[in-house]
Amino acid sequence: MASFKSTKIPIYPKLGEKVTPDTLYWKNYKAPVQIKEFGAVTSIDFSSLAPHNYAVTASTRIHIYGPFSTEPVKTFTRFKDTAYSGKFRSDGQLLVAGCEDSVVRLFDVSGKVALRVFKGHTKGVHVTDFTSDCYHILTGSDDYTCRLWDIPNSTELTSYKEHTDYIRCGTTSKLNRDIFITGSYDHTLRVFDARVEKSVMTMDHSQPVESVLLYPSEGLLVSAGGRYVKVWDLLKGGQPLVSLKNHHKTVTCLSLSSNGQRLLSASLDRHVKIYNTTNYKVVHNFDYAASILSLALAPDDESIVVGMTNGVLSIKHRKSPEEKREMVGKQRMQPVYRIFVKGRNYVPKKDDFLVSKPVKSHLAKYDKQLKKFNISKALDTALESWRRNRKPEITVAVMKELDRRGTLKNALAGRDEQNLSQLLNFLIGNVVDPRFTPVLVTATEMILDIYQAVVGQSSVVDRQLVRLQELVEREVDYQQDLLEVLGMLDTLFATSLPRKEVPCPGSSRPNGLAEGSLGAPGPQLQAA
């Protein structure tokens, strides 16, 4: 008696992730290190000087971490309320921060007590930054004003009140000490020059502005607000260049890679998107466990630090060359395929004594039912929810085997409303898949033949049959359109090819006509 042959499941090619230089570059980070802060992490800022410590603003504290430390090397706690926007000066010696109590504090990184306290705002200060000359501070507040302060004299230099809502982001020019930019919840971006009494440029983002970023050349400005990231050309008077909508929720922060060729945006949808600054297409994506409020990249992209609403600080460090070599070595040490199949194809010699070991075959559930000729139970097993959703090729292979045996119609018959609904759902989801269409079209025709007498008795089944009909009709229309397009392309290709003269044997003319016969009337025409 021949042994039972299990159902052959075809293996279809899978479209894997396209490996690009960006994929290799941005995946070259270790597993993230997570640190729990006292509150939502609202700001992260790296020092521009080695060893590139970074300041993390959360709740009523500012922690300064070393590049590889998991414990803060310095903590500033002299805040009466929530602290905001802790920023390093370009020399790494001073740090400025705003607060919900409207006071701006300036700290010496090596000390604990505030060196300067700037009072003048009437509401919380969410924006702070140093100007390029290192002697002035920019602040932006919920009192709708932005101000410049002089550090040596602790005095206010100038104040602007042109925004009509909270100012939640801003940045200063690194090339000109008098230029700075602010973004507000009144949907506008404003460019200010400290030598002029009012703003010199205004741009409408159309959404509350959460973050602004200047390119190193400072000819382009990036703004984030709502679900949009927009790029503006400052050299053309603030003309909009690009509007990106790749996030599902509000974009909260922006950052640039060290070479300025990649733009990063983070959002409340828990994603960090990386764009190519040449064509602004997404080249990579990071996923996180909670909504993101702050993002910063270390110099040379050595670390990616992300702050989230749940108070978790996530740090990813780039792998060192030694760690890369260790990973490659571990991969080489793993047993390869040839070790597992070693000896399987060995042919015994003439004088060898062969001891055979019986090989026990393990059958899948649907094969066990097929072996017992329980065709309906075999189809039910193949239609289990996890199998039909994750591996529809198994369900289709069982249907194909039943059709080969001539029992598919019997297996489809005798089903109640629930089982028939599951079957129709599977057909709706896969009948237009080119891999499964030949088998599922046959199954669909059989179902219509079997259950045409009960159409109209179940509203659920009727709706599914209507959906199936619409799906098939739409697919037929697509196929017809494709055939028309193929016909057009064939015509274009045929007309674009050069004509070649094909000589005919027994004739000196390329078209097979005797010389002088073309255009000359025959003898019958002359007689006529």
Side-chain angles (χ1 to χ4, degrees):
M1 181 178 177
S3 61
F4 177 81
K5 293 183 179 179
S6 59
T7 305
K8 186 178 180 181
I9 309 298
I11 299 175
Y12 298 100
K14 293 183 178 180
L15 296 176
E17 182 183 18
K18 187 177 180 181
V19 179
T20 63
D22 280 291
T23 305
L24 298 174
Y25 183 82
W26 294 105
K27 278 195 170 183
N28 191 29
Y29 286 93
K30 304 178 191 177
V33 177
Q34 294 189 342
I35 302 171
K36 180 66 176 176
E37 291 288 341
F38 291 92
V41 181
T42 57
S43 175
I44 303 168
D45 186 58
F46 273 91
S47 172
S48 57
L49 296 183
H52 305 300
N53 295 339
Y54 56 95
V56 176
T57 309
S59 186
T60 58
R61 305 183 181 201
I62 296 178
H63 292 308
I64 297 180
Y65 291 91
F68 297 102
S69 65
T70 56
E71 294 293 332
V73 297
K74 192 79 176 178
T75 301
F76 298 102
T77 58
R78 303 294 178 127
F79 296 96
K80 297 179 181 178
D81 207 331
T82 306
Y84 299 112
S85 186
K87 293 286 181 70
F88 281 107
R89 198 166 70 172
S90 58
D91 59 5
Q93 298 299 315
L94 297 180
L95 183 137
V96 66
C99 184
E100 190 64 37
D101 64 2
S102 76
V103 178
V104 180
R105 293 172 174 84
L106 181 69
F107 297 93
D108 185 346
V109 174
S110 59
K112 286 188 177 181
V113 182
L115 292 179
R116 296 282 189 275
V117 175
F118 303 95
K119 296 181 179 179
H121 287 290
T122 57
K123 291 186 178 180
V125 180
H126 287 256
V127 180
T128 62
D129 202 359
F130 288 95
T131 58
S132 59
D133 64 357
C134 300
Y135 295 114
H136 299 150
I137 293 174
L138 164 70
T139 59
S141 169
D142 285 352
D143 62 8
Y144 310 164
T145 66
C146 56
R147 306 179 189 224
L148 279 179
W149 307 82
D150 183 64
I151 296 176
N153 299 321
S154 300
T155 56
E156 179 184 315
L157 295 177
T158 182
S159 175
Y160 298 92
K161 190 175 182 180
E162 296 189 24
H163 287 291
T164 58
D165 208 334
Y166 300 156
I167 299 174
R168 290 297 172 89
C169 57
T171 185
T172 58
S173 168
K174 301 299 180 284
L175 304 179
N176 189 323
R177 67 174 189 176
D178 297 312
I179 302 296
F180 61 92
I181 301 164
T182 58
S184 168
Y185 279 7
D186 63 5
H187 302 187
T188 63
L189 300 154
R190 294 184 184 271
V191 181
F192 293 91
D193 187 336
R195 297 163 294 187
V196 183
E197 294 182 354
K198 60 180 181 178
S199 60
V200 295
M201 195 181 302
T202 303
M203 291 148 283
D204 184 9
H205 184 84
S206 302
Q207 298 284 337
V209 184
E210 299 284 352
S211 180
V212 292
L213 176 72
L214 268 174
Y215 274 67
S217 66
E218 300 194 355
L220 297 179
L221 172 70
V222 187
S223 62
R227 294 171 56 190
Y228 294 90
V229 176
K230 297 186 178 182
V231 183
W232 312 84
D233 190 344
L234 297 181
L235 302 180
K236 293 185 178 179
Q239 177 181 335
L241 291 182
V242 182
S243 180
L244 307 172
K245 190 180 179 183
N246 297 100
H247 288 281
H248 303 297
K249 292 184 179 179
T250 299
V251 183
T252 54
C253 46
L254 299 166
S255 185
L256 267 180
S257 63
S258 57
N259 58 8
Q261 296 180 0
R262 296 294 180 265
L263 172 67
L264 286 77
S265 65
S267 166
L268 296 179
D269 63 7
R270 303 182 292 109
H271 297 298
V272 173
K273 305 252 181 218
I274 303 174
Y275 307 88
N276 185 334
T277 54
T278 304
N279 51 21
Y280 291 100
K281 290 184 178 179
V282 177
V283 295
H284 197 68
N285 180 67
F286 289 114
D287 297 332
Y288 287 88
S291 298
I292 301 170
L293 290 179
S294 51
L295 164 72
L297 271 177
D300 298 325
D301 303 337
E302 287 298 318
S303 302
I304 300 176
V305 185
V306 166
M308 293 174 267
T309 54
N310 59 358
V312 172
L313 186 69
S314 174
I315 306 110
K316 290 183 179 180
H317 297 292
R318 183 170 294 282
K319 295 175 183 175
S320 63
E322 293 78 11
E323 289 171 323
K324 290 183 190 176
R325 285 194 289 269
E326 287 179 7
M327 291 292 294
V328 173
K330 288 180 181 179
Q331 291 174 357
R332 289 176 179 171
M333 291 172 60
Q334 292 176 355
V336 292
Y337 177 72
R338 67 173 180 271
I339 294 177
F340 293 106
V341 299
K342 186 177 181 180
R344 290 189 180 183
N345 298 326
Y346 178 77
V347 179
K349 296 177 182 178
K350 185 177 180 180
D351 298 329
D352 287 347
F353 183 76
L354 178 64
V355 179
S356 62
K357 182 180 179 181
V359 179
K360 186 178 180 180
S361 60
H362 297 277
L363 297 178
K365 289 183 179 180
Y366 50 84
D367 278 330
K368 291 179 181 178
Q369 298 296 341
L370 286 174
K371 188 176 181 180
K372 298 176 183 178
F373 300 99
N374 295 331
I375 54 176
S376 293
K377 290 183 178 179
L379 185 57
D380 291 341
T381 306
L383 283 169
E384 289 177 352
S385 59
W386 72 269
R387 188 174 283 117
R388 70 171 185 265
N389 292 330
R390 296 184 182 180
K391 294 187 175 181
E393 60 271 14
I394 295 179
T395 308
V396 175
V398 172
M399 288 184 176
K400 187 176 182 179
E401 175 63 20
L402 291 172
D403 188 38
R404 187 188 67 81
R405 297 184 179 194
T407 56
L408 179 58
K409 195 166 187 177
N410 294 336
L412 294 171
R415 296 182 173 272
D416 57 15
E417 180 183 7
Q418 183 178 357
N419 290 335
L420 182 59
S421 177
Q422 289 179 354
L423 191 55
L424 289 173
N425 269 334
F426 178 76
L427 293 175
I428 291 170
N430 298 279
V431 72
V432 297
D433 192 324
R435 302 174 297 172
F436 311 139
T437 298
V439 178
L440 295 186
V441 165
T442 303
T444 304
E445 292 174 348
M446 291 182 179
I447 289 174
L448 294 176
D449 289 340
I450 296 169
Y451 296 101
Q452 61 180 349
V454 297
V455 172
Q457 297 182 12
S458 169
S459 59
V460 176
V461 174
D462 290 346
R463 283 197 299 269
Q464 289 177 318
L465 288 174
V466 171
R467 283 180 59 195
L468 185 60
Q469 179 186 5
E470 293 174 349
L471 185 66
V472 172
E473 289 176 350
R474 189 161 59 247
E475 183 66 19
V476 170
D477 292 339
Y478 290 154
Q479 297 288 345
Q480 290 176 348
D481 292 342
L482 286 174
L483 288 174
E484 291 177 5
V485 172
L486 285 175
M488 297 175 191
L489 291 175
D490 287 341
T491 305
L492 290 173
F493 293 148
T495 55
S496 63
L497 293 174
R499 292 187 178 182
K500 293 184 178 179
E501 295 181 346
V502 181
C504 297
S507 173
S508 60
R509 294 185 62 82
N511 56 7
L513 296 176
E515 189 173 354
S517 62
L518 184 63
Q524 293 84 353
L525 293 176
Q526 290 178 352

